Amino acid sequence: MKSNLFRSVLAISILIIGVLLAKCKQPIQPDDGGVGIIVPGKSVEGIKLGDLKEAVVAKLGRPTSVGWADGIYRSWRTFSYLDGPYAGLRIDFIDSGATYGPVDEIGAVAPYSGKTKEGIGIGSTLGMVHGVYGLPDTSLYNPAQHWAADFYCINQKKFEIHYEDSVVTTFSIGYFIPMPEDPLYPCK
């Protein structure tokens, strides 16, 4: 009887250990973002659309420069990271007058090196982007100056990608608060 009980306990223990080990081998899903990860429509470097200034500073540190950007439909307070591990990253907060509003848009240029889970980032080709995301919802082209821009609606947010000579030079995700009056906004 003790032998059968021992075998049952041993079999259950091995089963439990096997299940736990199988869970440990599963890759971490970058759906919530993190260091070096771009999640179109959600986050860059773990900074999510809608985060507040304090969360950005806690994750990325103080920006190299702070400024303002005016658009036709909205204005922003901007953090720019020009050196260090986040060089090339720009965080735009909705300008709420005397205070910073939530993160509305996140963009990047070289030398930023983050990538999507599919490997798309600065330096990817137009063919790679279209291979992963398909044809865009909207595009702009200027063949004389060798540039193009693609606009996708992913997770109900804009994913904007600019190319020079068919190579990604900049991208942005946003808006946290939809901007349907923007004629290039693909999430209408």
Side-chain angles (χ1 to χ4, degrees):
M1 180 138 179
K2 285 185 180 181
S3 174
N4 286 340
L5 179 62
F6 176 75
R7 285 185 187 143
S8 296
V9 170
L10 182 61
I12 291 171
S13 298
I14 290 172
L15 181 64
I16 291 171
I17 290 171
V19 168
L20 291 174
L21 286 175
K23 286 191 176 210
C24 290
K25 290 182 180 180
Q26 291 179 354
I28 296 172
Q29 297 297 318
D31 292 342
D32 290 331
V35 177
I37 299 172
I38 302 163
V39 182
K42 282 189 171 183
S43 65
V44 177
E45 290 292 331
I47 303 300
K48 295 181 183 92
L49 295 171
D51 277 354
L52 299 178
K53 174 184 162 190
E54 295 76 19
V56 173
V57 171
K59 289 178 184 175
L60 304 181
R62 297 224 174 265
T64 309
S65 69
V66 176
W68 285 264
D70 287 325
I72 296 171
Y73 308 107
R74 188 175 293 157
S75 296
W76 299 270
R77 291 180 179 226
T78 301
F79 277 10
S80 295
Y81 294 85
L82 304 175
D83 52 26
Y86 309 113
L89 199 58
R90 184 194 81 245
I91 313 291
D92 296 333
F93 303 87
I94 294 174
D95 186 357
S96 297
T99 62
Y100 285 74
V103 171
D104 192 43
E105 189 170 31
I106 305 168
V109 298
Y112 181 72
S113 62
K115 305 273 185 210
T116 66
K117 67 181 178 183
E118 299 88 3
I120 301 297
I122 305 297
S124 297
T125 66
L126 182 138
M128 291 167 62
V129 173
H130 288 182
V132 170
Y133 298 110
L135 294 177
D137 298 299
T138 307
S139 291
L140 290 176
Y141 300 99
N142 188 328
Q145 294 182 354
H146 307 281
W147 67 261
D150 284 342
F151 299 82
Y152 293 90
C153 183
I154 299 176
N155 294 320
Q156 294 303 305
K157 304 294 181 200
K158 173 186 63 133
F159 185 35
E160 182 176 336
I161 304 169
H162 290 248
Y163 311 88
E164 286 184 25
D165 294 318
S166 297
V167 174
V168 175
T169 57
T170 183
F171 73 85
S172 67
I173 65 168
Y175 304 105
F176 175 63
I177 295 177
M179 197 182 309
E181 57 274 13
D182 180 346
L184 296 174
Y185 184 64
C187 301
K188 295 180 182 177

